[in-house]
């Protein structure tokens, strides 16, 4: 654990860039699956406290699905553990006592990288979250898009029947969901990072233009609709939501049922300013996205409870000194979210 890994925890290091200055995201390394009869069996009860995934930012999508599926007693988390990512990557409370942060309940690790290296001492990739960790000191999976599919079905025999019925990846919509996820991931989820971390004006411009072209595409899909695909909440909603909520969030001050009346657009928690994704705001550009986003936030506790704007803002403005060298976290807007 004394290996110098600082080069792997700093996303600005050159080896994560293409020759044109575009951010390149290396693929996640651990890709095992929890499934009946598989290498990792779904377990309950005895597993609590032994299989521990740790979550933050990208990981919010995994946390949302964990809650939608009623997996809180089966999959333990340290979800409020991290906010300020420094040279050693994500710290536990023992290394950075940020309000609400938690300690590593199993090994008293200081940083997430300690857990990665405990399991795979020669690991050469980035120490990202979420990471799904097994009782036998094994990382099962560190790719959130796979983790949410696992959560969707692997534990259905162990959760309440109404939670087992929740299916965000239904067979008949899979092709459509997969197709949409592909461009939403590259242009929107990862597009905000490619804009914010670009190191040439050309790379930035290409990323930010693609981001807004794809937001326009999403806007058209959502016009007059409750959900992105079909007439139910799917994985596509969860994946698009976690980025758009960090891009434009503008809760209504009025009755949450009358979303059209009172769109108070004044909140861009992170990406508009920090990642320079400011081609336009929701009032002028994306009212259907805004309406869909707010409805999920106010009407579904899985979305609201797992969105902590203080942690979100602190993480981004503090953890990327190459973009924000003073690490000052902007004060506004005040209030962050108005009462209903
Ligand atoms: N593809 C991964 C990406 C995870 C990811 O990049 N997580 C970020 C959270 S913002 C992280 O841990 N970054 C730390 C680093 O890059 O050193 C997933 O979706 O699980």
């Amino acid at each position: 654990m004394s290996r110098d890994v600082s080069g792997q925890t700093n996303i600005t290091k050159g080896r994560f860039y293409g020759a044109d200055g575009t951010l390149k995201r290396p693929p996640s390394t651990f890709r095992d699956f929890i499934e009946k009869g598989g290498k990792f069996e779904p377990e309950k009860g005895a597993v609590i406290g032994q299989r521990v995934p740790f979550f933050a930012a990208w990981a919010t999508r995994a946390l949302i699905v964990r809650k939608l599926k009623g997996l809180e007693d089966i999959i333990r988390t340290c979800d409020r553990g991290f906010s300020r990512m420094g040279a050693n990557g994500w710290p536990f409370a023992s290394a950075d006592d940020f309000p609400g942060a938690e300690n590593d309940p199993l090994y008293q690790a200081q940083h997430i990288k300690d857990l990665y290296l405990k399991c795979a001492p020669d690991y050469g990739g980035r120490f990202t979250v979420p990471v799904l960790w097994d009782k036998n000191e094994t990382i099962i999976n560190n790719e959130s898009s796979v983790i949410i599919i696992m959560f969707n079905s692997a534990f259905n025999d162990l959760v309440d029947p109404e939670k087992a019925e929740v299916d965000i990846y239904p067979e008949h919509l899979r092709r459509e969901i997969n197709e949409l996820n592909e461009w939403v991931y590259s242009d929107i989820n990862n597009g905000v990072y490619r804009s914010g971390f670009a190191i040439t004006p050309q790379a930035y411009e290409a990323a930010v233009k693609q981001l807004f072209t794809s937001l326009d595409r999403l806007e058209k899909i959502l016009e007059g609709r409750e959900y992105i695909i079909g007439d139910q909440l799917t994985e596509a909603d969860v994946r698009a939501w976690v980025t758009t909520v960090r891009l434009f969030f503008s809760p209504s001050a009025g009755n949450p049922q009358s979303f059209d009346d009172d769109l108070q657009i004044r909140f861009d928690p992170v990406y508009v300013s920090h990642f320079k994704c400011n081609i336009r705001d929701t009032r002028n550009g994306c009212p259907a996205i805004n309406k869909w986003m707010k409805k999920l936030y106010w009407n579904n506790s899985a979305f609201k409870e797992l969105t902590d704007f203080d942690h979100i803002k602190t993480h981004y403005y503090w953890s990327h000194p190459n973009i924000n060298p003073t690490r000052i976290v902007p004060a506004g807007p005040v209030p962050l979210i108005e009462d209903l």
Side-chain angles (χ1 to χ4, degrees):
M1 282 192 209
S2 58
R3 190 156 63 99
D4 175 12
V5 289
S6 53
Q8 292 161 5
T9 54
N10 186 340
I11 201 169
T12 66
K13 293 283 172 181
R15 63 204 181 90
F16 295 124
Y17 286 91
D20 62 348
T22 303
L23 179 73
K24 299 274 179 226
R25 190 177 282 278
S28 305
T29 307
F30 300 93
R31 296 300 190 103
D32 277 318
F33 214 79
I34 300 173
E35 58 194 338
K36 268 188 174 167
K39 186 170 164 195
F40 297 96
E41 286 275 352
E43 296 174 65
K44 192 182 182 166
V47 173
I48 297 170
Q50 294 171 321
R51 178 180 295 132
V52 186
F54 300 92
F55 292 119
W58 274 93
T60 307
R61 58 192 190 180
L63 276 180
I64 288 172
V65 177
R66 170 177 171 265
K67 188 168 169 66
L68 288 171
K69 290 294 297 183
L71 293 172
E72 292 98 323
D73 289 342
I74 295 173
I75 307 290
R76 189 170 155 185
T77 65
C78 189
D79 51 304
R80 304 224 181 267
F82 324 104
S83 202
R84 296 184 287 223
M85 188 174 69
N88 285 310
W90 295 107
F92 287 100
S94 51
D96 182 8
D97 201 10
F98 187 75
E102 294 170 32
N103 281 319
D104 167 17
L106 288 187
Y107 311 109
Q108 289 76 50
Q110 300 286 299
H111 295 91
I112 277 289
K113 82 171 164 50
D114 302 337
L115 295 176
Y116 270 88
L117 295 178
K118 190 176 183 68
C119 161
D122 295 329
Y123 177 66
R126 288 165 49 206
F127 303 104
T128 57
V129 291
V131 50
L132 187 59
W133 179 270
D134 177 68
K135 60 190 169 195
N136 298 318
E137 298 188 3
T138 310
I139 291 176
I140 301 171
N141 201 297
N142 69 339
E143 173 50 51
S144 59
S145 57
V146 181
I147 291 173
I148 59 182
I149 294 303
M150 200 185 308
F151 285 0
N152 185 53
S153 55
F155 299 90
N156 277 352
D157 289 349
L158 307 176
V159 294
D160 293 341
E162 91 266 10
K163 291 293 185 186
E165 271 172 30
V166 173
D167 185 2
I168 60 161
Y169 194 51
E171 196 86 43
H172 68 290
L173 297 177
R174 280 185 193 173
R175 194 183 48 81
E176 238 182 301
I177 293 173
N178 292 345
E179 274 170 19
L180 186 126
N181 282 346
E182 209 165 297
W183 60 265
V184 165
Y185 172 78
S186 66
D187 303 349
I188 299 180
N189 299 135
N190 203 30
V192 293
Y193 284 88
R194 286 193 296 112
S195 302
F197 286 114
I199 51 172
T200 63
Q202 294 78 4
Y204 161 70
E205 229 169 86
V208 81
K209 281 185 181 156
Q210 188 60 53
L211 167 66
F212 277 84
T213 300
S214 292
L215 283 170
D216 287 343
R217 191 173 169 189
L218 185 62
E219 173 74 13
K220 287 238 157 359
I221 292 171
L222 275 167
E223 271 165 13
R225 294 174 61 90
E226 198 81 357
Y227 301 106
I228 297 177
I229 291 172
D231 55 4
Q232 65 165 99
L233 182 77
T234 68
E235 191 211 3
D237 295 290
V238 176
R239 289 174 57 142
W241 193 86
V242 293
T243 296
T244 53
V245 79
R246 287 161 171 78
L247 187 58
F248 329 108
F249 188 82
S250 51
S252 167
N255 177 349
Q257 301 311 321
S258 59
F259 295 95
D260 294 322
D261 306 342
D262 187 18
L263 295 181
Q264 297 201 359
I265 313 297
R266 51 180 186 60
F267 189 23
D268 59 320
V270 177
Y271 297 148
V272 171
S273 49
H274 187 60
F275 281 173
K276 307 183 187 78
C277 300
N278 65 348
I279 287 188
R280 77 183 89 88
D281 61 27
T282 39
R283 172 179 286 171
N284 296 314
C286 307
I289 293 179
N290 193 38
K291 189 168 162 184
W292 157 84
M293 189 175 69
K294 287 174 17 167
K295 280 189 172 176
L296 285 177
Y297 182 86
W298 289 116
N299 295 342
N300 191 323
S301 61
F303 290 81
K304 186 165 187 289
E305 285 172 20
L306 295 165
T307 304
D308 183 328
F309 286 109
D310 201 23
H311 276 232
I312 290 172
K313 280 175 51 180
T314 303
H315 161 59
Y316 286 96
Y317 287 104
W318 199 94
S319 303
H320 306 139
N322 52 321
I323 298 177
N324 184 30
T326 61
R327 285 182 159 162
I328 292 170
V329 179
V334 177
L336 271 178
I337 301 179
E338 293 170 343
D339 289 337
L340 288 179

